Amino acid sequence: MRRTDRPTRRRADGALCTAAVALLLCVAGNGCSLFRPAPADDPTAIDEPDSEIEGSEDGARVEGAFPDPSLEENLEAEALLALGDSRLAEGDLSGAAATYLELVDLYPRTDEAAQALFQLAALQLNPSSPIYDSGKAVATLERLELEHPGSPWAPAATLLLELTRQNADLEQTLRALRTQLDELKQLDLAPDPSDG
């Protein structure tokens, strides 16, 4: 068997990996405006669904929906979100993550909790973050979808969750291909019995 180089295939594989990593880093970073919700005064902004069941005689809330937070809860959640964002801007990723977690634990019913969950997931997806853990990021994004389905952050969470899952599938495929390549290299390096 003769060993052949395939630079074109290597470049294509490398380009695919580079594109996937760049997309993931864009998603995980704060610089990608694609994942930011539209401003509230934007006419293309997503309308939040009504919190009441249509056709319900007593106007009962949707099962699992939170009651509206108080003004005090909203103000405290805003302050924690600002603190977390400030820590993030200063490069204190662990401090930002801890603040976002505190916000979500103390004020889970607020809009700020949805944003904090998204920011936390982005930190968990950032390989340079001290809290990097893609499994936890998936759980965080799923929690955002479940607890805040009407949030402007929910569509971005859904997209990021899908990209994260696709990236995991690509990484698994890449590992399998590398294993196959290593096996083929071993076969190629093995002495040919006919050369005897």
Side-chain angles (χ1 to χ4, degrees):
M1 193 182 301
R2 196 171 149 230
R3 183 176 180 182
T4 59
D5 273 340
R6 301 222 165 121
T8 305
R9 179 174 287 166
R10 282 189 203 147
R11 279 194 298 265
D13 290 346
L16 177 63
C17 290
T18 303
V21 168
L23 180 60
L24 187 59
L25 289 176
C26 175
V27 168
N30 290 328
C32 191
S33 63
L34 174 65
F35 299 100
R36 296 193 192 286
D41 59 344
D42 184 351
T44 62
I46 299 171
D47 291 333
E48 291 191 29
D50 293 334
S51 62
E52 297 182 354
I53 300 174
E54 289 186 27
S56 171
E57 293 178 9
D58 62 354
R61 290 193 167 272
V62 174
E63 185 179 333
F66 295 117
D68 291 335
S70 69
L71 178 60
E72 183 180 328
E73 288 176 317
N74 281 329
L75 291 174
E76 290 174 9
E78 284 177 20
L80 277 173
L81 183 63
L83 178 60
D85 290 346
S86 174
R87 288 178 172 168
L88 183 63
E90 293 168 358
D92 181 7
L93 304 184
S94 295
T99 305
Y100 294 141
L101 278 172
E102 180 181 0
L103 188 163
V104 170
D105 289 341
L106 293 175
Y107 308 106
R109 303 176 295 168
T110 63
D111 292 333
E112 290 77 16
Q115 184 174 351
L117 284 168
F118 189 84
Q119 295 286 80
L120 181 61
L123 286 170
Q124 292 167 331
L125 286 171
N126 184 347
S128 64
S129 169
I131 63 160
Y132 173 70
D133 186 331
S134 60
K136 285 184 180 179
V138 166
T140 301
L141 291 167
E142 288 173 342
R143 179 178 177 186
L144 194 163
E145 285 183 320
L146 179 68
E147 294 180 6
H148 302 276
S151 166
W153 293 93
T158 300
L159 180 57
L160 186 53
L161 190 56
E162 181 60 30
L163 289 171
T164 301
R165 289 177 175 150
Q166 287 178 5
N167 187 57
D169 291 344
L170 286 172
E171 286 177 353
Q172 183 177 2
T173 301
L174 185 59
R175 281 191 299 274
L177 289 172
R178 284 185 176 147
T179 300
Q180 289 177 353
L181 180 61
D182 289 343
E183 291 171 359
L184 289 172
K185 284 180 181 177
Q186 292 301 320
L187 287 174
D188 192 36
L189 296 176
D192 188 355
S194 64
D195 288 346

